[in-house]
């Protein structure tokens, strides 16, 4: 190695793609019955496998509309017309980029929750529940740690997702989401949204509305 060459491998096994595609179709059944599969099948071999598997799963779920979109087109359409998307399934790197892009539409990365869902239901109170890791999409942001200016909404909405997916407490999850909506509508904003509230004050405003 002369230090002038670099390369990366993007390896996906069939079972890995099938697992996440299955999750996407599951989610679509409870939403608008549409799945958008994002890939780069005109360039990447891994994306060609991805599209092949997604197409097969689409045939197995005929009640769900499936569309394939190249990642560069998806990035453009996410800005120009985000309402066309509902459930989006894609590989890790594309998802990481599109998620941060989507956060701008909501006003801040501090607004968005996330869930990494597994298959296990061991020890959970409902047969349809799943184990999951719930967290806001942003990182730990050490540059603002302890300053009281972070937006807590992503964390709070992640808790709502936990109640919905791992504990099947839909009413409780919806209550939290409604309180967040009402708080934002009322004009209560942290600094990232152009407001003056601290992290604690923003959380208190949401708690008041639950």
């Amino acid at each position: 190695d002369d230090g002038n060459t670099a390369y990366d491998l993007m390896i996906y096994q069939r079972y890995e793609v099938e697992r996440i595609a299955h999750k996407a179709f599951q989610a679509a059944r409870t939403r608008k019955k549409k799945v958008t599969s994002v890939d780069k099948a005109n360039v990447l071999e891994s994306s060609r496998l991805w599209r092949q598997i997604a197409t097969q799963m689409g045939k197995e779920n005929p009640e769900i509309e499936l569309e394939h979109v190249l990642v560069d087109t998806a990035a453009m359409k996410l800005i120009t017309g985000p309402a066309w998307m509902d459930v989006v399934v894609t590989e890790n790197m594309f998802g990481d980029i599109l998620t941060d892009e989507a956060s701008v539409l909501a006003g801040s990365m501090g607004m968005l929750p996330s869930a990494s869902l597994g298959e296990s239901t061991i020890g959970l109170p409902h047969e349809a529940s799943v184990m999951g890791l719930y967290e806001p999409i942003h990182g730990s942001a050490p540059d603002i740690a302890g300053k009281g200016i972070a937006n807590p909404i992503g964390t709070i909405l992640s808790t709502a997702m936990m109640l919905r997916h791992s504990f099947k407490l839909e009413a409780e999850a919806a209550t939290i989401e409604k309180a967040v909506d009402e708080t934002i509508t009322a004009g209560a904003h942290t600094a990232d949204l152009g407001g003056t509230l601290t992290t604690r004050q923003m959380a208190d405003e949401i708690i008041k509305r639950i």
Side-chain angles (χ1 to χ4, degrees):
D1 183 3
D2 59 5
N4 295 316
T5 303
Y7 60 89
D8 297 290
L9 298 177
M10 183 161 55
I11 301 173
Y12 278 96
Q13 303 290 331
R14 175 173 292 273
Y15 76 90
E16 294 174 310
V17 181
E18 287 176 343
R19 176 187 173 278
I20 193 63
H22 177 64
K23 288 289 185 183
F25 282 98
Q26 274 187 324
R29 287 192 189 92
T30 66
R31 296 171 61 89
K32 298 180 181 178
K33 293 182 169 56
K34 177 182 177 182
V35 170
T36 300
S37 178
V38 175
D39 60 40
K40 191 63 176 170
N42 59 337
V43 175
L44 299 176
E45 195 65 39
S46 59
S47 280
R48 285 189 272 277
L49 175 64
W50 183 283
R51 183 171 292 206
Q52 177 191 91
I53 295 170
T55 299
Q56 180 58 42
M57 296 198 72
K59 292 177 181 178
E60 296 169 4
N61 296 272
E63 74 281 12
I64 306 296
E65 177 189 354
L66 170 66
E67 65 175 350
H68 300 284
V69 181
L70 296 175
V71 64
D72 40 353
T73 301
M76 176 187 69
K77 294 180 74 172
L78 186 58
I79 295 299
T80 59
W84 70 277
M85 288 181 169
D86 189 52
V87 175
V88 178
V89 61
T90 190
E91 51 99 328
N92 186 65
M93 183 173 68
F94 296 161
D96 196 23
I97 295 168
L98 292 175
T99 299
D100 282 6
E101 181 190 8
S103 73
V104 178
L105 301 175
S108 166
M109 288 182 68
M111 297 284 289
L112 300 188
S114 76
S116 298
L117 302 178
E119 297 291 342
S120 174
T121 62
I122 296 174
L124 294 174
H126 190 284
E127 61 180 8
S129 301
V130 293
M131 297 287 282
L133 171 65
Y134 301 90
E135 59 183 345
I137 69 161
H138 59 72
S140 58
D143 55 319
I144 62 171
K147 296 181 180 180
I149 60 174
N151 188 338
I153 287 178
T155 300
I156 292 170
L157 290 179
S158 294
T159 302
M161 293 184 77
M162 179 183 69
L163 292 174
R164 174 174 291 117
H165 294 294
S166 283
F167 296 98
K168 295 302 170 185
L169 297 174
E170 176 58 35
E172 289 81 354
T175 296
I176 293 174
E177 292 165 347
K178 183 172 183 288
V180 168
D181 287 345
E182 291 176 351
T183 301
I184 295 170
T185 301
H189 299 151
T190 44
D192 57 316
L193 298 175
T196 59
L197 295 185
T198 65
T199 305
R200 173 71 68 178
Q201 289 170 336
M202 187 68 177
D204 287 343
E205 288 292 326
I206 295 169
I207 290 169
K208 282 195 309 187
R209 291 172 171 83
I210 293 179

